[in-house]
């Protein structure tokens, strides 16, 4: 059997059309949803990500401002910019692209963003809100994964979900979101013994490690849902995920491809969060 593909591009198109409709409704009331993206330094991958975020805003009728600063920008000057954006009524969402140069304390900068504008969902107030099930912004990548599960009508109640990876941006919030939907959740990481024994029990596997072939066909229960958050390059330089797609698709029931899976969903959920920030006023 070959798995069904969960198409992140098609789902993004649907969700972005809804964002555009709601943005138009806000504009009719005199509110233009606005996102500020702050990039410090010249990291090539960050430049691509930031460009894609700004373009996605334009395509969906959101206002966006890109602020670029040299890698020599001081921490104090960056904090001053964040403070100004916190007070700017035209800006509803603030995103400081990571990684930041080594002389800047990224945690300090994230904590300086007003939680009401924290559309990345990285502030401890956002993380805390997710933890206790209160309203707040959810980190875009795991939020996008939840939307993908929702799109196939998957009921997580009582299912065993295995998350591979424990980052603050994906693994940990992913586990909390799955738990909130009543899954039984296992978090695996570099110290986990016998990963395969755990993934073989999983109804849902989310791979978020940043390493190729973390999940192979022999590690997957037939019919399982496999979500691949990885963004890696193979030996030929082609984009690939953490999952051995060609092997696993013969065992899984559902699978997300790379590219065209979780990647576009991350940006889509940033648009959704920004729109919601503007709707909340
Ligand atoms: N760097 C890589 N991914 C992200 C992200 O989602 N948000 C921010 N702010 N920086 C990133």
């Amino acid at each position: 059997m070959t798995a069904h593909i969960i198409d992140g591009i098609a789902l993004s198109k649907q969700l972005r059309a809804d964002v555009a409709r709601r943005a138009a409704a806000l504009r009719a009331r005199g509110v233009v949803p606005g996102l500020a993206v702050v990039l410090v330094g010249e990291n090539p991958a960050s430049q691509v990500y930031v460009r894609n975020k700004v373009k996605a805003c334009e395509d969906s009728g959101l206002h966006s401002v890109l602020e670029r600063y040299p890698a020599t920008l001081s921490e104090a000057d960056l904090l001053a910019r964040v403070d100004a954006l916190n007070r700017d009524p035209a800006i509803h969402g603030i995103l400081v692209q990571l990684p930041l140069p080594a002389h800047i304390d990224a945690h300090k900068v994230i904590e300086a963003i007003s939680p009401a504008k924290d559309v990345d969902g990285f502030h401890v107030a956002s993380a805390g809100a997710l933890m206790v099930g209160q309203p707040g912004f959810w980190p875009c990548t795991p939020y996008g994964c939840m939307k993908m599960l929702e799109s196939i009508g998957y009921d997580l109640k009582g299912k065993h979900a295995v998350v591979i990876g424990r980052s603050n941006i994906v693994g940990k919030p992913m586990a909390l979101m799955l738990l909130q939907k009543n899954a039984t959740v296992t978090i695996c990481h570099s110290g986990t013994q016998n990963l395969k024994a755990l993934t073989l029990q999983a109804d849902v596997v989310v791979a978020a490690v940043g390493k190729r072939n973390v999940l192979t066909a022999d590690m997957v229960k037939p019919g399982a849902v496999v979500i691949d958050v990885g963004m890696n390059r193979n030996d030929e330089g082609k984009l690939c995920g953490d999952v051995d797609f060609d092997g696993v698709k013969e065992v899984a029931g559902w699978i997300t491809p790379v590219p065209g899976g979780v990647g576009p969903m991350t940006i889509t959920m940033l648009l959704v969060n920004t729109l919601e920030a503007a709707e909340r006023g």
Side-chain angles (χ1 to χ4, degrees):
M1 196 194 81
T2 301
H4 300 283
I5 304 289
I6 310 179
D7 182 344
I9 296 173
L11 180 56
S12 282
K13 223 177 240 171
Q14 279 177 33
L15 295 171
R16 289 185 198 195
D18 184 52
V19 167
R21 267 193 301 275
R22 287 161 63 190
L26 274 180
R27 270 204 310 278
R29 290 178 15 216
V31 178
V32 181
L35 173 71
V37 178
V38 180
L39 175 62
V40 184
E42 310 280 329
N43 182 308
S46 290
Q47 295 192 37
V48 174
Y49 291 146
V50 158
R51 214 179 307 133
N52 289 342
K53 288 169 184 175
V54 169
K55 178 163 189 312
C57 282
E58 284 166 8
D59 292 348
S60 296
L62 272 58
H63 169 62
S64 68
V65 180
L66 172 56
E67 296 194 4
R68 305 181 58 134
Y69 297 103
T72 52
L73 183 76
S74 72
E75 183 182 279
D77 284 348
L78 179 56
L79 289 170
R81 273 315 300 150
V82 169
D83 187 46
L85 291 167
N86 281 338
R87 286 183 279 103
D88 184 342
I91 296 300
H92 304 93
I94 302 170
L95 183 153
V96 178
Q97 187 67 24
L98 304 177
L100 286 167
H103 67 278
I104 297 177
D105 181 346
H107 179 72
K108 205 163 159 185
V109 174
I110 290 167
E111 294 314 300
I113 296 171
S114 162
K117 297 190 177 187
D118 176 36
V119 289
D120 252 336
F122 293 170
H123 195 288
V124 290
S126 304
L130 169 61
M131 172 115 183
V132 297
Q134 288 296 309
F137 292 112
W138 284 7
C140 301
T141 298
Y143 192 10
C145 295
M146 293 304 286
K147 285 285 173 191
M148 293 178 110
L149 289 168
E150 195 183 305
S151 77
I152 61 166
Y154 194 82
D155 182 5
L156 283 159
K157 184 164 186 240
K159 298 294 198 311
H160 187 190
V162 170
V163 179
I164 315 175
R166 57 174 156 180
S167 71
N168 290 332
I169 292 177
V170 185
K172 283 190 235 173
M174 183 82 251
L176 290 169
M177 290 174 200
L178 293 162
L179 184 62
Q180 199 178 97
K181 293 288 181 194
N182 301 310
T184 300
V185 182
T186 301
I187 306 177
C188 299
H189 47 80
S190 50
T192 296
Q193 292 181 12
N194 206 348
L195 176 65
K196 178 177 169 176
L198 293 162
T199 58
L200 273 173
Q201 297 173 29
D203 302 300
V204 176
V205 183
V206 180
V209 174
K211 214 169 84 187
R212 279 164 59 194
N213 297 331
V214 157
L215 192 75
T216 48
D218 58 307
M219 299 166 75
V220 176
K221 180 161 92 170
V225 182
V226 174
I227 299 193
D228 190 350
V229 179
M231 279 253 249
N232 312 298
R233 299 267 169 196
N234 68 13
D235 295 333
E236 291 91 55
K238 247 181 69 188
L239 201 62
C240 67
D242 289 354
V243 174
D244 171 26
F245 181 84
D246 289 337
V248 170
K249 79 175 192 315
E250 300 304 326
V251 183
W254 294 88
I255 190 167
T256 68
V258 178
V262 173
M265 291 299 295
T266 295
I267 296 189
T268 298
M269 300 325 291
L270 174 67
L271 302 177
V272 169
N273 279 349
T274 303
L275 183 81
E276 283 181 4
E279 285 176 344
R280 289 176 200 176

